[in-house]
Amino acid sequence: GYITLITPVKKRKKQRQMKCKDRRSGLILTIPLCTEQTSMEELSSTLDYLLSIPSEKCKARGFTVIVDGRKSQWNVVKTVVLMLQNVIPAEVSLVCVVKPDEFWDKKVTHFCFWKEKDRLGFEVILVSANKLTRYIEPCQLTDEFGGSLQYDHMDWVNKRLVFEKFTKESTSLLDELAVINENEKASQPDKASRPSDSNALPSFDPETVLQTGHELLSELQQRRFNGSEGGGGGGGTAWSPMDDELLAQPQVMKLLDSLREQYTKYQEVCRQRSKRSQLEEIQTKVMQVVNWLEGPGTEQLRTQWGIGDSIRASQALLLKHEEIESQHSEWFAVYVELNQQMAALLSAGDDEDLLELKALQQQLSDVCYRQASQLEFRQNVLQSAHDFHGTAQDLSQQLDGLLGMLCADVAPADGAAIQQTLKHLEEKLKSVEGALQSLREKGQVLLEQISNQSSWFYGKDMQIENKENIDHIHSIMEDMQLRKQRCEDMVDVRRLKMLQMVQLFKCEEDASQAVEWLGELLDALLKTHIRLGDDSQEAKVLLEKHRKFVDVAQSTYDYGRQLLQATVVLCQSLRCTTRSSGDTLPRLNRVWKQFTVTADERQHRLDMASTFHTAADRVLLKGNTVFTLPLTLPPIPCYRSEQFFGSPGDMASSAENIRDRMKLVEDKRLQQEEAEQLQEEVALEAGPDES
């Protein structure tokens, strides 16, 4: 085995030391010297450091020192040898000075080391490099001294640095962890009296130090395995490991065991710290949420009690409430996160923490749910107020539109237009009634919500504020009811007026129809009532029909007059000064006058015809004389024109019939005269005879 150590960095490549075993199992210390000036102070420090590495048991077996002076001067070698007397006189058993082949021969006599053995305390010999094997086995010498020992000085230095760093950090870390664990254990009974530095952290990362130790131990164990299993071959060049004490495996393993033990305790401490810190953080956040919700959050709701006096005002209140909800949402998000954290801790927490956690969770849940209920209730009130004012605004607009229709002048063209207007008014009124009913329902809902509003206002007296809101709601509903009632009254008046206008139009239409009917009767009288009858019986029948025809015309005329009188009354009732009977009454009177004149003439002619036929029948039957009927009938006087009964041909036919009748009468008269003359002649003839 071997141990390799180095001096300070500036001389690392020139002052390289190696320790192997000599023939007495003592440690071998090699001091390479160079042509440059060697610092005795640095060399002394290096030797002190090297001597601190082996255990006392190893040092008791003594050292064999190899001073490689082949590249140095004699006075330097001498100084180094004398310095060994002051540094390690008791441990050194032999000093081998490796000399150049020819350089120091003349100087040996100036200082004989063997004569100074008693004074120095160890034996000093001058030897060539190729003769060192007389004192030290070749397998314990490196190739620069003709040996077969495989040695990498920089590797040994690096591993030594790692070992010393690990030893220093692990020792310091063990002390710190022990203090931290002890302090934590002492502070467990009284959590409230923990010192301010109870959360102290170690100077080194335990994971990093443990990782370094494991890597170092693995390297040492690997080197030992390779040294013990790979020796013997290659001409005795295999490297033999040193004792475990020099390889420091037990020390590393002991440090790792102690470190793992303390680190395990420290991890539990950290877990407790983390849990305690998490509990404290949760408690702090819980109180922040509770304090804000019961403080500023509640105050915001306390100041928001109104419902607005219009849809615009209620919309503004809704927007303000949305801002308040947005602020609450941030705290509710914190509540959700805290609730999840507390649920996780409750599922894996200790019994002593459960009660505290449950109390915190319950307190937070109560406050958050109460505040959320208040926000929701306020939101419902504002939404109901917004709906109420919206319905009130719609109803007001409908009432304004209906009132505008009722206040506008009515000038319909005909009855159909009036009926359409009436239908439109009825639809408007029905829509108003529906909107008013909806307003009542929404107002009742809002009143019920407002009556319950004081239940969540933390003792705040809401009587005054509620009274203002309630009075405002009742005022709107009463005002809308009054406006609707006024519109209903005006609709009733307008409906009556419309119905009167319908009657007016109907009367005017029927009056015009009466004039047309009377004109049609006149035309029928003039064009179809032309027969005078062929005998007295037929003449009587025509007279009876004529009287009935005149009665119909009289009824038509009277009906038209009544309609025109009703039209005048309706115009007066409607104060419709621009409307009157127009030309209907003059037309009616003109047609009626024409009809009466024509009817009288017809009556006269039928009377004459009846008298004529009666007389003719009497003449024809009894022989009496008959009245003479004019053969030419005069025309019927008519305004601005001449009208005749039937056509001239019809009149000629009637006249011809009368002529025939008169011819029969004349023939009858002539026959009668002839008969009378014959009788007179017979009487005259018989008279003379008798006489």
Side-chain angles (χ1 to χ4, degrees):
Y2 69 92
I3 293 180
T4 300
L5 299 171
I6 61 171
T7 58
V9 177
K10 291 188 291 184
K11 303 297 181 179
R12 179 177 301 173
K13 293 184 179 180
K14 296 180 180 178
Q15 296 186 8
R16 185 175 58 181
Q17 292 81 27
M18 176 189 67
K19 287 186 179 180
C20 300
K21 291 183 179 180
D22 58 15
R23 296 181 183 275
R24 298 165 309 197
S25 297
L27 297 176
I28 300 173
L29 173 62
T30 300
I31 303 176
L33 299 178
C34 58
T35 56
E36 298 178 1
Q37 183 67 32
T38 300
S39 173
M40 296 298 112
E41 183 179 355
E42 291 182 0
L43 183 57
S44 176
S45 299
T46 302
L47 291 174
D48 290 337
Y49 171 73
L50 291 172
L51 293 174
S52 66
I53 295 175
S55 64
E56 295 298 327
K57 181 180 179 181
C58 290
K59 287 190 289 185
R61 292 195 291 263
F63 289 91
T64 294
V65 181
I66 300 175
V67 181
D68 188 0
R70 290 176 294 178
K71 295 181 182 181
S72 181
Q73 299 177 1
W74 166 249
N75 58 346
V76 176
V77 174
K78 183 177 65 173
T79 304
V80 171
V81 173
L82 293 176
M83 185 190 64
L84 293 175
Q85 180 187 16
N86 299 324
V87 178
I88 51 174
E91 290 82 358
V92 177
S93 57
L94 175 63
V95 177
C96 295
V97 178
V98 181
K99 64 178 182 174
D101 292 338
E102 299 178 355
F103 187 65
W104 287 345
D105 290 342
K106 296 180 180 180
K107 299 194 184 274
V108 175
T109 56
H110 293 281
F111 184 84
C112 295
F113 287 110
W114 62 274
K115 296 180 180 181
E116 301 292 332
K117 179 179 180 180
D118 296 335
R119 185 172 66 86
L120 292 174
F122 48 79
E123 180 182 359
V124 180
I125 60 174
L126 296 176
V127 64
S128 299
N130 56 3
K131 296 180 180 180
L132 275 176
T133 55
R134 297 178 182 178
Y135 307 96
I136 303 173
E137 292 290 341
C139 65
Q140 299 297 318
L141 293 174
T142 59
D143 57 354
E144 58 186 327
F145 298 116
S148 60
L149 179 64
Q150 300 294 325
Y151 168 69
D152 186 349
H153 177 66
M154 294 307 299
D155 179 67
W156 182 88
V157 169
N158 292 333
K159 292 300 183 292
R160 186 65 194 182
L161 287 175
V162 172
F163 168 74
E164 291 186 356
K165 180 175 182 294
F166 168 72
T167 304
K168 178 181 178 182
E169 292 181 354
S170 60
T171 303
S172 176
L173 182 60
L174 281 172
D175 294 338
E176 293 178 357
L177 292 179
V179 172
I180 293 173
N181 295 337
E182 188 63 29
N183 290 339
E184 181 68 20
K185 183 178 180 181
S187 61
Q188 282 293 330
D190 190 2
K191 298 181 180 180
S193 61
R194 289 192 179 98
S196 59
D197 60 346
S198 60
N199 292 331
L201 299 176
S203 303
F204 304 100
D205 179 24
E207 293 286 350
T208 303
V209 176
L210 283 170
Q211 180 67 23
T212 302
H214 285 300
E215 292 176 356
L216 177 60
L217 181 61
S218 177
E219 179 68 21
L220 293 175
Q221 291 174 343
Q222 184 67 26
R223 295 169 72 91
R224 181 181 180 183
F225 174 78
N226 292 337
S228 61
E229 297 294 333
T237 60
W239 172 79
S240 299
M242 296 175 59
D243 294 338
D244 288 343
E245 292 178 334
L246 296 179
L247 291 175
Q249 291 187 41
Q251 185 177 359
V252 174
M253 295 176 64
K254 182 178 180 181
L255 286 173
L256 285 175
D257 292 340
S258 301
L259 192 58
R260 278 193 292 266
E261 180 182 359
Q262 290 296 331
Y263 182 54
T264 301
K265 296 179 180 179
Y266 175 72
Q267 285 180 318
E268 178 63 22
V269 170
C270 291
R271 191 185 70 82
Q272 294 296 332
R273 282 183 181 178
S274 176
K275 185 176 69 174
R276 185 168 62 249
S277 176
Q278 191 173 5
L279 284 173
E280 292 174 354
E281 181 180 0
I282 288 176
Q283 185 176 14
T284 301
K285 290 183 178 180
V286 166
M287 295 314 300
Q288 288 177 350
V289 175
V290 171
N291 291 336
W292 191 90
L293 292 179
E294 292 184 345
T298 300
E299 189 60 30
Q300 286 179 347
L301 288 177
R302 284 181 176 176
T303 58
Q304 297 294 315
W305 54 267
I307 61 172
D309 56 358
S310 64
I311 187 171
R312 180 177 298 179
S314 61
Q315 182 67 35
L317 289 174
L318 275 173
L319 293 176
K320 178 63 177 177
H321 185 72
E322 289 178 0
E323 295 178 2
I324 295 175
E325 282 187 332
S326 178
Q327 296 179 17
H328 279 74
S329 297
E330 298 177 1
W331 292 98
F332 288 154
V334 177
Y335 157 69
V336 173
E337 180 181 357
L338 289 174
N339 197 39
Q340 294 175 351
Q341 294 178 3
M342 287 187 287
L345 290 176
L346 285 173
S347 62
D350 298 331
D351 293 339
E352 61 182 16
D353 300 324
L354 291 180
L355 294 178
E356 183 179 358
L357 272 176
K358 287 183 178 179
L360 280 175
Q361 189 180 40
Q362 188 63 41
Q363 181 184 12
L364 182 62
S365 298
D366 292 343
V367 173
C368 289
Y369 278 113
R370 181 171 62 245
Q371 200 75 0
S373 299
Q374 296 170 7
L375 287 171
E376 183 180 5
F377 187 88
R378 176 62 179 168
Q379 173 71 24
N380 293 336
V381 170
L382 291 177
Q383 189 61 50
S384 298
H386 184 268
D387 296 342
F388 174 78
H389 287 114
T391 304
Q393 179 174 297
D394 293 341
L395 177 58
S396 178
Q397 293 175 353
Q398 292 185 35
L399 289 171
D400 291 341
L402 180 59
L403 184 62
M405 289 183 60
L406 295 173
C407 293
D409 293 334
V410 181
D414 51 27
I418 293 176
Q419 293 292 342
Q420 186 65 28
T421 303
L422 278 174
K423 181 180 179 182
H424 190 45
L425 276 176
E426 295 295 341
E427 291 176 352
K428 284 279 188 180
L429 186 60
K430 185 177 180 180
S431 177
V432 166
E433 290 176 352
L436 182 60
Q437 180 62 28
S438 177
L439 182 68
R440 293 194 189 100
E441 294 174 356
K442 293 180 179 179
Q444 186 61 36
V445 171
L446 185 57
L447 288 172
E448 292 176 357
Q449 289 177 333
I450 291 177
S451 64
N452 297 327
Q453 189 172 6
S454 59
S455 62
W456 49 266
F457 259 104
Y458 290 111
K460 179 179 175 63
D461 188 5
M462 292 295 297
Q463 295 299 324
I464 298 177
E465 291 82 353
N466 279 343
K467 187 177 185 304
E468 293 179 2
N469 294 332
I470 292 173
D471 292 345
H472 170 69
I473 296 171
H474 284 302
S475 174
I476 290 180
M477 291 194 295
E478 291 172 359
D479 179 64
M480 293 300 170
Q481 177 64 35
L482 290 176
R483 290 178 61 186
K484 185 254 185 184
Q485 187 62 46
R486 287 196 296 267
C487 286
E488 280 185 341
D489 296 341
M490 294 180 69
V491 167
D492 292 339
V493 175
R494 177 56 59 88
R495 185 186 295 110
L496 178 60
K497 185 176 181 179
M498 290 288 186
L499 292 176
Q500 288 178 343
M501 292 189 72
V502 170
Q503 290 180 335
L504 174 61
F505 281 115
K506 183 64 176 175
C507 289
E508 290 178 346
E509 182 181 355
D510 291 348
S512 297
Q513 185 66 44
V515 173
E516 292 179 2
W517 288 344
L518 199 58
E520 292 175 356
L521 292 174
L522 177 61
D523 289 343
L525 181 64
L526 289 173
K527 295 179 180 180
T528 60
H529 292 210
I530 56 176
R531 288 183 56 80
L532 297 177
D534 295 337
D535 52 27
S536 60
Q537 187 64 31
E538 185 179 1
K540 290 179 181 179
V541 172
L542 291 174
L543 277 172
E544 183 63 26
K545 290 183 177 179
H546 179 69
R547 282 194 294 270
K548 293 180 179 180
F549 187 78
V550 171
D551 291 340
V552 172
Q554 182 67 48
S555 299
T556 303
Y557 172 72
D558 293 341
Y559 177 65
R561 292 283 299 184
Q562 292 174 359
L563 291 174
L564 291 176
Q565 290 176 358
T567 300
V568 173
V569 173
L570 289 172
C571 286
Q572 292 176 352
S573 176
L574 294 172
R575 298 179 182 179
C576 184
T577 57
T578 58
R579 295 188 65 89
S580 63
S581 60
D583 62 344
T584 305
L585 182 60
R587 285 175 52 229
L588 179 65
N589 291 331
R590 184 170 61 251
V591 173
W592 177 246
K593 187 174 182 180
Q594 292 177 1
F595 183 86
T596 55
V597 170
T598 303
D600 290 344
E601 180 62 23
R602 171 69 173 170
Q603 178 72 31
H604 177 67
R605 291 187 181 189
L606 288 174
D607 288 342
M608 290 180 62
S610 178
T611 302
F612 168 75
H613 286 299
T614 301
D617 290 341
R618 194 165 49 247
V619 168
L620 292 175
L621 294 175
K622 299 180 179 181
N624 295 328
T625 60
V626 65
F627 294 101
T628 301
L629 184 66
L631 295 180
T632 302
L633 297 178
I636 300 173
C638 186
Y639 301 99
R640 300 181 183 179
S641 64
E642 293 288 337
Q643 293 190 8
F644 295 88
F645 287 103
S647 63
D650 294 334
M651 295 184 65
S653 176
S654 298
E656 183 65 24
N657 186 28
I658 294 174
R659 288 191 187 95
D660 292 341
R661 186 78 169 171
M662 291 179 66
K663 184 177 180 181
L664 290 174
V665 172
E666 182 64 21
D667 292 343
K668 184 68 176 177
R669 187 181 65 80
L670 291 176
Q671 291 178 1
Q672 187 176 0
E673 287 180 354
E674 290 178 356
E676 289 178 352
Q677 186 177 1
L678 182 60
Q679 289 178 359
E680 288 179 359
E681 290 177 356
V682 171
L684 288 176
E685 292 178 356
D689 294 335
E690 292 178 357
S691 58

